Amino acid sequence: MVADEAALAEVVAAFAAGSGPVAVDAERASGYRYGQRAYLVQLRREGAGTALIDPVGCPDLSALGEALSGVEWVLHAATQDLPCLREIGMLPTRLFDTELAGRLAGFPRVGLGAMVENVLGFVLEKGHSAVDWSTRPLPEPWLRYAALDVELLVDLRDALEKELDRQGKLEWALQEFDAIASAPPAEPRKEPWRRTSGMHKVRRRRQLAVVRELWETRDRIAQRRDVSPGKVLPDAAIVEAALAVPGNVHALAALTGFGHRTGRRQLEQWQAAVDRAKALPESELPQPGQPVTGPPPPRAWADKDPSAAARLSAARAAVTTLAEQLSMPQENLISPDTVRRLCWQPPAAVDAGSVSTALAGYGARPWQVELVTPVLVTALSGKDA
C-alpha cells in the first residue's frame, strides 16, 4: 500500500504515463468513523498496473488528480465516491459510471459483483465490503479484495459501452456522465437531525426539540471521538427519549438504549440535552415537518388540488410505460421530483416548447427532455394517450 510521499510520486508518474481510461474506487469506514472520508483509494490503468493508496498517510492526492486530468475515470456508482475523492484533491473532468450504465442498459442487478458476473463472466471475491477500512495495517485479504474492485472495471466499461451503443443509448449515458462530472458539491443538509430514523413517531414540538438537542450533542461527541454517531447513541434511543421526555437520569436510564452499559457521566450529558429542550421557550421549538420548498407530499394533493393529483397520476403512468418500453428504471428516465414539480405547477400554456423549457429548468438532460416531453404534454393536457 502506498503510504508516503516518495511512493506516491512514483504512482503519479506511472499513472500519468499510462494509457486509456483509469479505473478508480474508494473505501470509506461508514458505520465506524465520523463522516465519509476515504481510507483507501484504488486505481488501475493500462501501462501503470494497480495502486492502493492510503489517504491517511497521503492526505493530499491533488498531484495525482492533476496527472489524470482529461483522462476518463471509470467508477462504479460514482456519486458515492466522488465526495470523498474531492476532499483529497481528486476530481474527474470525464467519467464513465458502470453502475449507471447498467441501469440505462436495463440490467436488473447493477451491483459491481453482479455486473462483472453477468457481463464478463467472472465472480469477484466477496466478504469485505462492510469492514472497518480505517483499520491499520489493513489485512492482506482486504487489500486483495479492494484491488479486485478495479481489476475489471475498464473491461466492464468497454462491454457496457458496446451494449449501450447497440441499444441506441450511448449518447444518453454520455450526457448523464457529463452531468455527474460537472455537478457542484452537494449543499450541507438543513436540519439534518430531522433524518433521525423513527422520526415519524415524534409529533409534538417539545419532543422534536429533544430529538434536536440529543442529535446535536451526539454529533459533537462523534466528531470529537471520530466514531460513527450510531455507535455513540442509536437513533432508536434518541426517539425513545423524545417520546418519553424523562424528568431525571433515573427515568432516562430505564429507557431502551440507555441501559446498564451507559455510564453515569454519559447519562448526565444526555439528560442535560433533554433538560435544555424542556427549558426552551415555545417560540424556539422546532416546527413539525421540514420547510417545504417544492410541492406538498403527493398524498395531500387530492385534497389540496384534485386537478394536480389527476395530472400527477397520468404523468406517472405515462413515464412508467415509457420506461418499461426503454428497459430502464423510471427514475433514470426522468427524476420523480421533476415530474411532481411540473404537475403541481405546469406552464400556463401546455405545449412541447413550454414543457421542454420547464424540464430543462429542473435539470433534465437533453435526451430526457426529448423522450418525455411528448408523453408529459399529453398527461398535463388531460388528453388520452
Side-chain angles (χ1 to χ4, degrees), residues 100-134:
L100 182 51
R103 290 180 184 278
L104 295 175
F107 285 89
R109 294 166 61 225
V110 292
L112 180 60
M115 292 291 291
V116 166
E117 190 169 349
N118 290 338
V119 177
L120 301 177
F122 290 97
V123 179
L124 289 180
E125 183 177 322
K126 299 180 179 70
H128 302 299
S129 60
V131 298
D132 180 2
W133 288 98
S134 68

Side-chain angles (χ1 to χ4, degrees), residues 241-266:
L243 295 174
V245 193
N248 54 50
V249 169
H250 297 295
L252 180 68
L255 300 177
T256 305
F258 298 92
H260 62 280
R261 287 188 298 171
T262 308
R264 175 80 189 190
R265 187 158 166 263
Q266 289 175 296

Side-chain angles (χ1 to χ4, degrees), residues 147-162:
L148 286 172
D149 274 355
V150 291
E151 181 81 15
L152 297 169
L153 261 187
V154 174
D155 294 330
L156 181 60
R157 171 236 178 272
D158 292 345
L160 287 170
E161 182 181 57
K162 289 177 184 172

Side-chain angles (χ1 to χ4, degrees), residues 124-283:
L124 289 180
E125 183 177 322
K126 299 180 179 70
H128 302 299
S129 60
V131 298
D132 180 2
W133 288 98
S134 68
T135 301
R136 291 297 181 274
L138 284 167
E140 193 274 336
W142 296 13
L143 294 174
R144 185 173 64 245
Y145 165 90
L148 286 172
D149 274 355
V150 291
E151 181 81 15
L152 297 169
L153 261 187
V154 174
D155 294 330
L156 181 60
R157 171 236 178 272
D158 292 345
L160 287 170
E161 182 181 57
K162 289 177 184 172
E163 179 60 22
L164 288 166
D165 193 34
R166 186 188 70 78
Q167 294 185 23
K169 298 175 179 176
L170 182 57
E171 175 55 33
W172 308 351
L174 295 177
Q175 288 182 29
E176 291 298 297
F177 303 156
D178 285 345
I180 294 171
S182 60
E187 293 284 328
R189 290 191 186 280
K190 291 180 179 175
E191 301 188 315
W193 59 270
R194 290 187 184 270
R195 294 177 64 82
T196 303
S197 181
M199 276 291 288
H200 62 282
K201 301 175 190 172
V202 183
R203 301 296 173 91
R204 296 177 183 167
R205 292 177 65 197
R206 186 72 58 187
Q207 294 173 330
L208 290 170
V210 173
V211 173
R212 182 174 64 186
E213 287 292 337
L214 285 171
W215 189 98
E216 291 177 349
T217 301
R218 178 183 72 173
D219 195 63
R220 288 192 295 272
I221 295 167
Q223 190 168 9
R224 187 178 71 242
R225 289 169 46 191
D226 189 18
V227 295
S228 168
K231 287 190 175 299
V232 175
L233 187 69
D235 279 9
I238 290 178
V239 170
E240 186 93 3
L243 295 174
V245 193
N248 54 50
V249 169
H250 297 295
L252 180 68
L255 300 177
T256 305
F258 298 92
H260 62 280
R261 287 188 298 171
T262 308
R264 175 80 189 190
R265 187 158 166 263
Q266 289 175 296
L267 282 171
E268 286 174 352
Q269 75 184 358
W270 300 129
Q271 185 61 44
V274 174
D275 292 343
R276 285 195 298 274
K278 288 163 67 176
L280 286 174
E282 288 285 329
S283 60

